Amino acid sequence: MHTQVGIIGAGPAGLLLSHLLHRAGIESVVLERRSRHYVENRIRAGVLEQGSVDLLLEAGLGQRLLRQGMQHHGVELRFGARSHRIDFDSLTQGKGIVVYGQQEVIKDLIAARQHADGQLLFEAEVVSLDELHSKQPRIHYKHNGREEQLSCEFLIGCDGYHGVSRPAIPESERKEFERRYPFAWLGVLVEAAPSAEELIYANSADGFALHSMRSPSLSRNYLQCPPGDRIEDWSEERIWDALHTRLETVPDWNLREGPIVERGITPMRSYVCETMRHGRLLLAGDAAHIVPPTGAKGMNLAISDIRYLSAALTAWYRDGSEELLDSYPSDCLRRVWRGEHFSWYMTSLLHRFDDDSGFQQRLQQAEFDYLCYSSAQATALAENYVGIAY
Ligand code: FAS
Ligand code: PHB
């Protein structure tokens, strides 16, 4: 099989790229190792920045998003008995976020590709790539029990952190940076109405917790746990005890319980591979960078990369210009490193570290006090949270 752009991975990056290329008259094939049902039901991110919402609306993907997405104008930081709301409206001249589950974005993108007879191959596992410096790079994959091959003109790795595309770049040529955190996040999806209008990030003596939501009847809660914990280490009783203890630290506020319909543990790491182009192979999204989810940046950075990559490929097919392809990595990395810093900042501010001296906790308390006092500091947090302008 041959196509113009071969895309590995049907996550937000791969699907959005295929959709935007189609709108530019460029043909692509998306190869996804999982089933359609799996990718449409995988619970992940929940927050869309203003810029991501605008891009999805411009690309004709906004119908359900406008109907079901929940516009938020602030977030609450809770430090023990103290609480402070970061008001996006006053601090960012009216920008905000929309709470809309990543799996809903995936459903909208798949529906749009299917409507356009796009070539999405599910349960098609890519096993290797070659000819990356030729004009016809090749993807080797397994589908329906057979070894298959896709030749293309550009090969895009949208296959996430554990995919095959980044390792196809020789390690000696990969410029990589990583920081691991001494904790993970346990996340639960709960059939219960949210207990607050906006997200609550809590730094408590027992550790971090986050109260988020997916709809008027679905809550999404997270708590910090040891990095090696397995989900079976956490009974429902233990999960709820920890969430109540860490979130119910202010008067007259209680966390609503309900049936837990999904649960999982996500490791926490910051990672960047600055080598986002290698011949005709280009990386986008989690294949190139990972952030701890505390800043709600993962999916938004994937969308940011695709904004640049779709423009670069469109320019090449339109008039053979290589300029945007050459600047693709640096164009992405400016926002990626801003997102990495903000995600590290929020993670450092809100989690409990095994810090016997108490030094880290006093830094956190000082930062919280400053956020409460200084509109300049609160503005910095707000403008990063709603998304830096392109
Ligand atoms: P994705 O990982 O979404 O998609 C990659 C796709 O490639 C997958 O569908 C995979 O099956 C496929 N693939 C991999 N190898 C392949 C192969 N060899 N052949 C074919 N297909 C292959 N971000 C937030 O902002 N907030 C959160 O709360 C949050 N929670 C997360 C929880 C988990 C468990 C994980 C893993 C990530 C979470 N993230 C969160 C980050 C997440 O939203 C990512 O940033 C986002 O999915 C990135 O999108 P993609 O780059 O498209 O990668
Ligand atoms: C979520 O709703 O899944 C969510 C929200 C904010 C975050 C991380 C995850 O920082």
PDB file of all heavy atoms in Angstrom, residues 8-14 31-34 39 42 44-46 102 124-126 158-160 163-164 222 266 284-287 293 296-299 302, ligand 1:
ATOM      1  N   ILE A   8       1.483   6.822  12.452  1.00  0.00           N
ATOM      2  CA  ILE A   8       1.410   5.721  13.423  1.00  0.00           C
ATOM      3  C   ILE A   8       0.714   6.240  14.674  1.00  0.00           C
ATOM      4  O   ILE A   8       1.203   7.174  15.317  1.00  0.00           O
ATOM      5  CB  ILE A   8       2.810   5.201  13.817  1.00  0.00           C
ATOM      6  CG1 ILE A   8       3.660   4.911  12.588  1.00  0.00           C
ATOM      7  CG2 ILE A   8       2.680   3.932  14.665  1.00  0.00           C
ATOM      8  CD1 ILE A   8       5.104   4.566  12.935  1.00  0.00           C
ATOM      9  N   GLY A   9      -0.430   5.650  14.988  1.00  0.00           N
ATOM     10  CA  GLY A   9      -1.120   6.009  16.224  1.00  0.00           C
ATOM     11  C   GLY A   9      -2.395   6.797  16.008  1.00  0.00           C
ATOM     12  O   GLY A   9      -2.398   7.824  15.334  1.00  0.00           O
ATOM     13  N   ALA A  10      -3.491   6.305  16.606  1.00  0.00           N
ATOM     14  CA  ALA A  10      -4.805   6.980  16.526  1.00  0.00           C
ATOM     15  C   ALA A  10      -5.147   7.577  17.889  1.00  0.00           C
ATOM     16  O   ALA A  10      -6.207   7.338  18.464  1.00  0.00           O
ATOM     17  CB  ALA A  10      -5.885   6.002  16.090  1.00  0.00           C
ATOM     18  N   GLY A  11      -4.207   8.338  18.413  1.00  0.00           N
ATOM     19  CA  GLY A  11      -4.490   9.177  19.579  1.00  0.00           C
ATOM     20  C   GLY A  11      -4.847  10.568  19.088  1.00  0.00           C
ATOM     21  O   GLY A  11      -5.056  10.765  17.869  1.00  0.00           O
ATOM     22  N   PRO A  12      -4.921  11.564  19.972  1.00  0.00           N
ATOM     23  CA  PRO A  12      -5.260  12.921  19.522  1.00  0.00           C
ATOM     24  C   PRO A  12      -4.318  13.423  18.428  1.00  0.00           C
ATOM     25  O   PRO A  12      -4.755  14.032  17.450  1.00  0.00           O
ATOM     26  CB  PRO A  12      -5.116  13.755  20.796  1.00  0.00           C
ATOM     27  CG  PRO A  12      -5.176  12.800  21.922  1.00  0.00           C
ATOM     28  CD  PRO A  12      -4.726  11.471  21.406  1.00  0.00           C
ATOM     29  N   ALA A  13      -3.016  13.148  18.562  1.00  0.00           N
ATOM     30  CA  ALA A  13      -2.056  13.665  17.576  1.00  0.00           C
ATOM     31  C   ALA A  13      -2.284  13.062  16.200  1.00  0.00           C
ATOM     32  O   ALA A  13      -2.453  13.783  15.202  1.00  0.00           O
ATOM     33  CB  ALA A  13      -0.625  13.388  18.055  1.00  0.00           C
ATOM     34  N   GLY A  14      -2.319  11.734  16.130  1.00  0.00           N
ATOM     35  CA  GLY A  14      -2.427  11.077  14.831  1.00  0.00           C
ATOM     36  C   GLY A  14      -3.738  11.364  14.122  1.00  0.00           C
ATOM     37  O   GLY A  14      -3.757  11.654  12.915  1.00  0.00           O
ATOM     38  N   LEU A  31      -2.313   4.073  11.178  1.00  0.00           N
ATOM     39  CA  LEU A  31      -2.189   2.687  11.642  1.00  0.00           C
ATOM     40  C   LEU A  31      -2.235   2.675  13.166  1.00  0.00           C
ATOM     41  O   LEU A  31      -1.413   3.315  13.819  1.00  0.00           O
ATOM     42  CB  LEU A  31      -0.865   2.088  11.159  1.00  0.00           C
ATOM     43  CG  LEU A  31      -0.650   2.048   9.641  1.00  0.00           C
ATOM     44  CD1 LEU A  31       0.772   1.598   9.315  1.00  0.00           C
ATOM     45  CD2 LEU A  31      -1.652   1.122   8.972  1.00  0.00           C
ATOM     46  N   GLU A  32      -3.232   1.978  13.716  1.00  0.00           N
ATOM     47  CA  GLU A  32      -3.435   1.949  15.174  1.00  0.00           C
ATOM     48  C   GLU A  32      -3.453   0.489  15.630  1.00  0.00           C
ATOM     49  O   GLU A  32      -4.218  -0.324  15.120  1.00  0.00           O
ATOM     50  CB  GLU A  32      -4.742   2.648  15.509  1.00  0.00           C
ATOM     51  CG  GLU A  32      -5.248   2.441  16.951  1.00  0.00           C
ATOM     52  CD  GLU A  32      -4.243   2.800  18.032  1.00  0.00           C
ATOM     53  OE1 GLU A  32      -3.703   3.926  17.989  1.00  0.00           O
ATOM     54  OE2 GLU A  32      -3.976   1.951  18.899  1.00  0.00           O
ATOM     55  N   ARG A  33      -2.648   0.206  16.657  1.00  0.00           N
ATOM     56  CA  ARG A  33      -2.535  -1.197  17.067  1.00  0.00           C
ATOM     57  C   ARG A  33      -3.744  -1.680  17.867  1.00  0.00           C
ATOM     58  O   ARG A  33      -4.036  -2.871  17.902  1.00  0.00           O
ATOM     59  CB  ARG A  33      -1.267  -1.420  17.884  1.00  0.00           C
ATOM     60  CG  ARG A  33      -1.289  -0.815  19.266  1.00  0.00           C
ATOM     61  CD  ARG A  33      -0.049  -1.118  20.050  1.00  0.00           C
ATOM     62  NE  ARG A  33       0.019  -0.275  21.245  1.00  0.00           N
ATOM     63  CZ  ARG A  33       1.071  -0.196  22.035  1.00  0.00           C
ATOM     64  NH1 ARG A  33       2.149  -0.878  21.750  1.00  0.00           N
ATOM     65  NH2 ARG A  33       1.061   0.580  23.092  1.00  0.00           N
ATOM     66  N   ARG A  34      -4.444  -0.762  18.526  1.00  0.00           N
ATOM     67  CA  ARG A  34      -5.589  -1.144  19.342  1.00  0.00           C
ATOM     68  C   ARG A  34      -6.864  -1.119  18.495  1.00  0.00           C
ATOM     69  O   ARG A  34      -6.894  -0.626  17.373  1.00  0.00           O
ATOM     70  CB  ARG A  34      -5.733  -0.154  20.507  1.00  0.00           C
ATOM     71  CG  ARG A  34      -4.540  -0.115  21.455  1.00  0.00           C
ATOM     72  CD  ARG A  34      -4.512  -1.312  22.360  1.00  0.00           C
ATOM     73  NE  ARG A  34      -3.552  -1.147  23.452  1.00  0.00           N
ATOM     74  CZ  ARG A  34      -3.510  -1.958  24.516  1.00  0.00           C
ATOM     75  NH1 ARG A  34      -4.382  -2.957  24.616  1.00  0.00           N
ATOM     76  NH2 ARG A  34      -2.625  -1.783  25.481  1.00  0.00           N
ATOM     77  N   VAL A  39      -9.679   2.554  21.816  1.00  0.00           N
ATOM     78  CA  VAL A  39      -9.180   3.947  21.808  1.00  0.00           C
ATOM     79  C   VAL A  39     -10.299   4.934  22.095  1.00  0.00           C
ATOM     80  O   VAL A  39     -10.071   6.016  22.635  1.00  0.00           O
ATOM     81  CB  VAL A  39      -8.453   4.324  20.500  1.00  0.00           C
ATOM     82  CG1 VAL A  39      -7.223   3.448  20.295  1.00  0.00           C
ATOM     83  CG2 VAL A  39      -9.370   4.266  19.285  1.00  0.00           C
ATOM     84  N   ARG A  42     -10.704   4.784  26.164  1.00  0.00           N
ATOM     85  CA  ARG A  42      -9.539   4.919  27.037  1.00  0.00           C
ATOM     86  C   ARG A  42      -9.624   6.282  27.744  1.00  0.00           C
ATOM     87  O   ARG A  42      -9.597   7.322  27.093  1.00  0.00           O
ATOM     88  CB  ARG A  42      -8.277   4.811  26.177  1.00  0.00           C
ATOM     89  CG  ARG A  42      -6.987   4.918  26.891  1.00  0.00           C
ATOM     90  CD  ARG A  42      -5.827   4.610  25.944  1.00  0.00           C
ATOM     91  NE  ARG A  42      -5.969   5.327  24.678  1.00  0.00           N
ATOM     92  CZ  ARG A  42      -5.205   5.086  23.610  1.00  0.00           C
ATOM     93  NH1 ARG A  42      -4.297   4.144  23.652  1.00  0.00           N
ATOM     94  NH2 ARG A  42      -5.371   5.774  22.502  1.00  0.00           N
ATOM     95  N   ARG A  44      -8.380   9.327  29.610  1.00  0.00           N
ATOM     96  CA  ARG A  44      -7.113  10.029  29.811  1.00  0.00           C
ATOM     97  C   ARG A  44      -7.374  11.470  30.173  1.00  0.00           C
ATOM     98  O   ARG A  44      -7.978  11.766  31.190  1.00  0.00           O
ATOM     99  CB  ARG A  44      -6.236   9.892  28.558  1.00  0.00           C
ATOM    100  CG  ARG A  44      -5.534   8.551  28.493  1.00  0.00           C
ATOM    101  CD  ARG A  44      -4.484   8.590  27.447  1.00  0.00           C
ATOM    102  NE  ARG A  44      -3.601   7.451  27.484  1.00  0.00           N
ATOM    103  CZ  ARG A  44      -2.728   7.227  26.512  1.00  0.00           C
ATOM    104  NH1 ARG A  44      -2.672   8.037  25.473  1.00  0.00           N
ATOM    105  NH2 ARG A  44      -1.931   6.193  26.565  1.00  0.00           N
ATOM    106  N   ALA A  45      -6.905  12.379  29.360  1.00  0.00           N
ATOM    107  CA  ALA A  45      -6.945  13.806  29.718  1.00  0.00           C
ATOM    108  C   ALA A  45      -8.366  14.335  29.801  1.00  0.00           C
ATOM    109  O   ALA A  45      -9.300  13.721  29.280  1.00  0.00           O
ATOM    110  CB  ALA A  45      -6.150  14.601  28.685  1.00  0.00           C
ATOM    111  N   GLY A  46      -8.472  15.512  30.441  1.00  0.00           N
ATOM    112  CA  GLY A  46      -9.822  16.057  30.603  1.00  0.00           C
ATOM    113  C   GLY A  46      -9.941  17.535  30.311  1.00  0.00           C
ATOM    114  O   GLY A  46     -11.027  18.078  30.217  1.00  0.00           O
ATOM    115  N   GLN A 102     -10.732  13.431  26.836  1.00  0.00           N
ATOM    116  CA  GLN A 102      -9.938  13.095  25.646  1.00  0.00           C
ATOM    117  C   GLN A 102     -10.634  12.047  24.796  1.00  0.00           C
ATOM    118  O   GLN A 102     -10.591  12.096  23.556  1.00  0.00           O
ATOM    119  CB  GLN A 102      -8.560  12.583  26.070  1.00  0.00           C
ATOM    120  CG  GLN A 102      -7.693  12.134  24.908  1.00  0.00           C
ATOM    121  CD  GLN A 102      -6.274  11.808  25.337  1.00  0.00           C
ATOM    122  OE1 GLN A 102      -5.686  12.500  26.153  1.00  0.00           O
ATOM    123  NE2 GLN A 102      -5.717  10.767  24.768  1.00  0.00           N
ATOM    124  N   ALA A 124      -3.814  -2.700  13.817  1.00  0.00           N
ATOM    125  CA  ALA A 124      -2.708  -2.772  12.852  1.00  0.00           C
ATOM    126  C   ALA A 124      -1.451  -2.335  13.594  1.00  0.00           C
ATOM    127  O   ALA A 124      -1.255  -1.140  13.829  1.00  0.00           O
ATOM    128  CB  ALA A 124      -2.978  -1.854  11.672  1.00  0.00           C
ATOM    129  N   GLU A 125      -0.638  -3.308  14.025  1.00  0.00           N
ATOM    130  CA  GLU A 125       0.507  -2.969  14.865  1.00  0.00           C
ATOM    131  C   GLU A 125       1.765  -2.747  14.034  1.00  0.00           C
ATOM    132  O   GLU A 125       2.212  -3.655  13.318  1.00  0.00           O
ATOM    133  CB  GLU A 125       0.776  -4.054  15.901  1.00  0.00           C
ATOM    134  CG  GLU A 125       2.011  -3.729  16.772  1.00  0.00           C
ATOM    135  CD  GLU A 125       2.103  -4.536  18.024  1.00  0.00           C
ATOM    136  OE1 GLU A 125       1.394  -5.542  18.133  1.00  0.00           O
ATOM    137  OE2 GLU A 125       2.903  -4.156  18.913  1.00  0.00           O
ATOM    138  N   VAL A 126       2.321  -1.544  14.125  1.00  0.00           N
ATOM    139  CA  VAL A 126       3.571  -1.240  13.402  1.00  0.00           C
ATOM    140  C   VAL A 126       4.723  -1.926  14.124  1.00  0.00           C
ATOM    141  O   VAL A 126       4.846  -1.829  15.348  1.00  0.00           O
ATOM    142  CB  VAL A 126       3.802   0.276  13.319  1.00  0.00           C
ATOM    143  CG1 VAL A 126       5.161   0.595  12.727  1.00  0.00           C
ATOM    144  CG2 VAL A 126       2.688   0.939  12.515  1.00  0.00           C
ATOM    145  N   CYS A 158       3.142   9.247  15.826  1.00  0.00           N
ATOM    146  CA  CYS A 158       2.172   9.757  16.824  1.00  0.00           C
ATOM    147  C   CYS A 158       1.809   8.604  17.758  1.00  0.00           C
ATOM    148  O   CYS A 158       0.653   8.462  18.185  1.00  0.00           O
ATOM    149  CB  CYS A 158       0.917  10.281  16.136  1.00  0.00           C
ATOM    150  SG  CYS A 158       1.189  11.681  15.058  1.00  0.00           S
ATOM    151  N   ASP A 159       2.806   7.750  18.023  1.00  0.00           N
ATOM    152  CA  ASP A 159       2.536   6.479  18.716  1.00  0.00           C
ATOM    153  C   ASP A 159       2.865   6.510  20.194  1.00  0.00           C
ATOM    154  O   ASP A 159       3.124   5.473  20.809  1.00  0.00           O
ATOM    155  CB  ASP A 159       3.272   5.330  18.017  1.00  0.00           C
ATOM    156  CG  ASP A 159       4.744   5.647  17.703  1.00  0.00           C
ATOM    157  OD1 ASP A 159       5.137   6.830  17.812  1.00  0.00           O
ATOM    158  OD2 ASP A 159       5.483   4.720  17.364  1.00  0.00           O
ATOM    159  N   GLY A 160       2.897   7.710  20.779  1.00  0.00           N
ATOM    160  CA  GLY A 160       3.018   7.796  22.217  1.00  0.00           C
ATOM    161  C   GLY A 160       4.405   7.440  22.749  1.00  0.00           C
ATOM    162  O   GLY A 160       5.323   7.136  21.991  1.00  0.00           O
ATOM    163  N   GLY A 163       5.864   3.944  21.889  1.00  0.00           N
ATOM    164  CA  GLY A 163       5.744   3.510  20.502  1.00  0.00           C
ATOM    165  C   GLY A 163       7.067   3.087  19.885  1.00  0.00           C
ATOM    166  O   GLY A 163       8.112   3.051  20.544  1.00  0.00           O
ATOM    167  N   VAL A 164       7.013   2.819  18.574  1.00  0.00           N
ATOM    168  CA  VAL A 164       8.201   2.315  17.853  1.00  0.00           C
ATOM    169  C   VAL A 164       8.921   3.425  17.083  1.00  0.00           C
ATOM    170  O   VAL A 164      10.047   3.228  16.615  1.00  0.00           O
ATOM    171  CB  VAL A 164       7.799   1.204  16.851  1.00  0.00           C
ATOM    172  CG1 VAL A 164       7.244  -0.004  17.576  1.00  0.00           C
ATOM    173  CG2 VAL A 164       6.795   1.709  15.814  1.00  0.00           C
ATOM    174  N   TYR A 222      -8.319  12.216  41.350  1.00  0.00           N
ATOM    175  CA  TYR A 222      -6.950  11.670  41.341  1.00  0.00           C
ATOM    176  C   TYR A 222      -6.359  11.823  42.742  1.00  0.00           C
ATOM    177  O   TYR A 222      -6.693  12.766  43.459  1.00  0.00           O
ATOM    178  CB  TYR A 222      -6.054  12.444  40.367  1.00  0.00           C
ATOM    179  CG  TYR A 222      -6.436  12.353  38.917  1.00  0.00           C
ATOM    180  CD1 TYR A 222      -7.261  13.309  38.340  1.00  0.00           C
ATOM    181  CD2 TYR A 222      -5.983  11.309  38.117  1.00  0.00           C
ATOM    182  CE1 TYR A 222      -7.613  13.236  36.998  1.00  0.00           C
ATOM    183  CE2 TYR A 222      -6.326  11.237  36.773  1.00  0.00           C
ATOM    184  CZ  TYR A 222      -7.140  12.207  36.225  1.00  0.00           C
ATOM    185  OH  TYR A 222      -7.485  12.137  34.891  1.00  0.00           O
ATOM    186  N   THR A 266      -1.109   6.076  36.867  1.00  0.00           N
ATOM    187  CA  THR A 266      -0.246   6.648  35.819  1.00  0.00           C
ATOM    188  C   THR A 266       1.073   7.087  36.432  1.00  0.00           C
ATOM    189  O   THR A 266       1.072   7.868  37.385  1.00  0.00           O
ATOM    190  CB  THR A 266      -0.920   7.904  35.200  1.00  0.00           C
ATOM    191  OG1 THR A 266      -2.191   7.536  34.711  1.00  0.00           O
ATOM    192  CG2 THR A 266      -0.073   8.491  34.081  1.00  0.00           C
ATOM    193  N   ALA A 284       5.480  13.538  16.932  1.00  0.00           N
ATOM    194  CA  ALA A 284       4.521  14.512  17.486  1.00  0.00           C
ATOM    195  C   ALA A 284       3.856  13.926  18.721  1.00  0.00           C
ATOM    196  O   ALA A 284       3.681  12.707  18.834  1.00  0.00           O
ATOM    197  CB  ALA A 284       3.463  14.852  16.440  1.00  0.00           C
ATOM    198  N   GLY A 285       3.507  14.809  19.665  1.00  0.00           N
ATOM    199  CA  GLY A 285       2.784  14.382  20.864  1.00  0.00           C
ATOM    200  C   GLY A 285       3.655  13.589  21.812  1.00  0.00           C
ATOM    201  O   GLY A 285       4.867  13.806  21.904  1.00  0.00           O
ATOM    202  N   ASP A 286       3.018  12.625  22.487  1.00  0.00           N
ATOM    203  CA  ASP A 286       3.738  11.877  23.522  1.00  0.00           C
ATOM    204  C   ASP A 286       4.912  11.078  22.986  1.00  0.00           C
ATOM    205  O   ASP A 286       5.776  10.676  23.751  1.00  0.00           O
ATOM    206  CB  ASP A 286       2.775  10.914  24.241  1.00  0.00           C
ATOM    207  CG  ASP A 286       1.968  11.589  25.328  1.00  0.00           C
ATOM    208  OD1 ASP A 286       1.915  12.836  25.331  1.00  0.00           O
ATOM    209  OD2 ASP A 286       1.415  10.872  26.177  1.00  0.00           O
ATOM    210  N   ALA A 287       4.956  10.841  21.674  1.00  0.00           N
ATOM    211  CA  ALA A 287       6.126  10.158  21.088  1.00  0.00           C
ATOM    212  C   ALA A 287       7.379  10.998  21.283  1.00  0.00           C
ATOM    213  O   ALA A 287       8.485  10.472  21.327  1.00  0.00           O
ATOM    214  CB  ALA A 287       5.896   9.918  19.598  1.00  0.00           C
ATOM    215  N   PRO A 293       0.720  15.063  34.562  1.00  0.00           N
ATOM    216  CA  PRO A 293      -0.587  15.629  34.202  1.00  0.00           C
ATOM    217  C   PRO A 293      -1.056  16.782  35.098  1.00  0.00           C
ATOM    218  O   PRO A 293      -2.100  17.359  34.854  1.00  0.00           O
ATOM    219  CB  PRO A 293      -1.533  14.438  34.302  1.00  0.00           C
ATOM    220  CG  PRO A 293      -0.825  13.404  35.064  1.00  0.00           C
ATOM    221  CD  PRO A 293       0.630  13.659  34.945  1.00  0.00           C
ATOM    222  N   ALA A 296      -2.263  19.687  33.230  1.00  0.00           N
ATOM    223  CA  ALA A 296      -3.264  19.404  32.174  1.00  0.00           C
ATOM    224  C   ALA A 296      -2.732  19.821  30.803  1.00  0.00           C
ATOM    225  O   ALA A 296      -3.432  20.457  30.010  1.00  0.00           O
ATOM    226  CB  ALA A 296      -4.578  20.115  32.488  1.00  0.00           C
ATOM    227  N   LYS A 297      -1.477  19.446  30.507  1.00  0.00           N
ATOM    228  CA  LYS A 297      -0.836  19.898  29.261  1.00  0.00           C
ATOM    229  C   LYS A 297      -0.640  18.787  28.219  1.00  0.00           C
ATOM    230  O   LYS A 297      -0.358  19.097  27.055  1.00  0.00           O
ATOM    231  CB  LYS A 297       0.533  20.516  29.577  1.00  0.00           C
ATOM    232  CG  LYS A 297       0.448  21.831  30.307  1.00  0.00           C
ATOM    233  CD  LYS A 297      -0.300  22.879  29.502  1.00  0.00           C
ATOM    234  CE  LYS A 297      -0.780  24.030  30.361  1.00  0.00           C
ATOM    235  NZ  LYS A 297      -1.898  24.745  29.754  1.00  0.00           N
ATOM    236  N   GLY A 298      -0.724  17.503  28.619  1.00  0.00           N
ATOM    237  CA  GLY A 298      -0.337  16.425  27.712  1.00  0.00           C
ATOM    238  C   GLY A 298      -1.043  16.486  26.369  1.00  0.00           C
ATOM    239  O   GLY A 298      -0.414  16.644  25.313  1.00  0.00           O
ATOM    240  N   MET A 299      -2.334  16.404  26.393  1.00  0.00           N
ATOM    241  CA  MET A 299      -3.088  16.396  25.132  1.00  0.00           C
ATOM    242  C   MET A 299      -2.934  17.740  24.412  1.00  0.00           C
ATOM    243  O   MET A 299      -2.821  17.791  23.180  1.00  0.00           O
ATOM    244  CB  MET A 299      -4.562  16.113  25.413  1.00  0.00           C
ATOM    245  CG  MET A 299      -5.432  16.201  24.194  1.00  0.00           C
ATOM    246  SD  MET A 299      -7.104  15.587  24.465  1.00  0.00           S
ATOM    247  CE  MET A 299      -7.676  16.589  25.815  1.00  0.00           C
ATOM    248  N   ALA A 302       0.163  17.897  22.442  1.00  0.00           N
ATOM    249  CA  ALA A 302       0.043  17.055  21.240  1.00  0.00           C
ATOM    250  C   ALA A 302      -0.669  17.843  20.148  1.00  0.00           C
ATOM    251  O   ALA A 302      -0.243  17.871  18.981  1.00  0.00           O
ATOM    252  CB  ALA A 302      -0.729  15.774  21.578  1.00  0.00           C
TER     253      ALA A 302
HETATM  254  P1  FAS B   1      -1.392   8.682  22.635  1.00  0.00           P
HETATM  255  O1  FAS B   1      -0.570   7.882  23.600  1.00  0.00           O
HETATM  256  O2  FAS B   1      -2.711   9.217  23.064  1.00  0.00           O
HETATM  257  O3  FAS B   1      -1.679   7.812  21.331  1.00  0.00           O
HETATM  258  C1  FAS B   1      -0.683   6.968  20.771  1.00  0.00           C
HETATM  259  C2  FAS B   1      -1.400   5.882  20.009  1.00  0.00           C
HETATM  260  O4  FAS B   1      -0.422   5.115  19.302  1.00  0.00           O
HETATM  261  C3  FAS B   1      -2.133   4.913  20.943  1.00  0.00           C
HETATM  262  O5  FAS B   1      -3.476   4.776  20.556  1.00  0.00           O
HETATM  263  C4  FAS B   1      -1.352   3.615  20.795  1.00  0.00           C
HETATM  264  O6  FAS B   1      -2.183   2.478  20.889  1.00  0.00           O
HETATM  265  C5  FAS B   1      -0.769   3.762  19.393  1.00  0.00           C
HETATM  266  N1  FAS B   1       0.441   2.952  19.178  1.00  0.00           N
HETATM  267  C6  FAS B   1       1.513   2.838  19.994  1.00  0.00           C
HETATM  268  N2  FAS B   1       2.424   1.995  19.460  1.00  0.00           N
HETATM  269  C7  FAS B   1       1.915   1.583  18.260  1.00  0.00           C
HETATM  270  C8  FAS B   1       2.373   0.701  17.247  1.00  0.00           C
HETATM  271  N3  FAS B   1       3.554   0.074  17.348  1.00  0.00           N
HETATM  272  N4  FAS B   1       1.606   0.504  16.157  1.00  0.00           N
HETATM  273  C9  FAS B   1       0.415   1.154  16.030  1.00  0.00           C
HETATM  274  N5  FAS B   1      -0.095   1.996  16.967  1.00  0.00           N
HETATM  275  C10 FAS B   1       0.666   2.202  18.069  1.00  0.00           C
HETATM  276  N6  FAS B   1      -2.838  14.273  29.878  1.00  0.00           N
HETATM  277  C11 FAS B   1      -3.517  15.262  30.481  1.00  0.00           C
HETATM  278  O7  FAS B   1      -3.447  16.414  30.047  1.00  0.00           O
HETATM  279  N7  FAS B   1      -4.309  14.992  31.595  1.00  0.00           N
HETATM  280  C12 FAS B   1      -4.439  13.719  32.088  1.00  0.00           C
HETATM  281  O8  FAS B   1      -5.146  13.502  33.066  1.00  0.00           O
HETATM  282  C13 FAS B   1      -3.755  12.658  31.466  1.00  0.00           C
HETATM  283  N8  FAS B   1      -3.905  11.374  31.920  1.00  0.00           N
HETATM  284  C14 FAS B   1      -3.197  10.363  31.293  1.00  0.00           C
HETATM  285  C15 FAS B   1      -3.320   9.005  31.711  1.00  0.00           C
HETATM  286  C16 FAS B   1      -2.587   7.990  31.089  1.00  0.00           C
HETATM  287  C17 FAS B   1      -2.725   6.559  31.557  1.00  0.00           C
HETATM  288  C18 FAS B   1      -1.715   8.302  30.033  1.00  0.00           C
HETATM  289  C19 FAS B   1      -0.883   7.215  29.381  1.00  0.00           C
HETATM  290  C20 FAS B   1      -1.603   9.623  29.594  1.00  0.00           C
HETATM  291  C21 FAS B   1      -2.347  10.662  30.208  1.00  0.00           C
HETATM  292  N9  FAS B   1      -2.277  11.990  29.771  1.00  0.00           N
HETATM  293  C22 FAS B   1      -2.954  13.001  30.364  1.00  0.00           C
HETATM  294  C23 FAS B   1      -1.479  12.343  28.655  1.00  0.00           C
HETATM  295  C24 FAS B   1      -2.267  12.024  27.418  1.00  0.00           C
HETATM  296  O9  FAS B   1      -3.472  12.710  27.391  1.00  0.00           O
HETATM  297  C25 FAS B   1      -1.376  12.314  26.247  1.00  0.00           C
HETATM  298  O10 FAS B   1      -0.738  13.568  26.382  1.00  0.00           O
HETATM  299  C26 FAS B   1      -2.091  12.252  24.920  1.00  0.00           C
HETATM  300  O11 FAS B   1      -2.775  11.026  24.843  1.00  0.00           O
HETATM  301  C27 FAS B   1      -1.045  12.395  23.814  1.00  0.00           C
HETATM  302  O12 FAS B   1      -1.628  12.066  22.621  1.00  0.00           O
HETATM  303  P2  FAS B   1      -0.789  11.290  21.501  1.00  0.00           P
HETATM  304  O13 FAS B   1       0.515  11.943  21.345  1.00  0.00           O
HETATM  305  O14 FAS B   1      -1.711  11.161  20.353  1.00  0.00           O
HETATM  306  O15 FAS B   1      -0.433   9.848  22.128  1.00  0.00           O
END
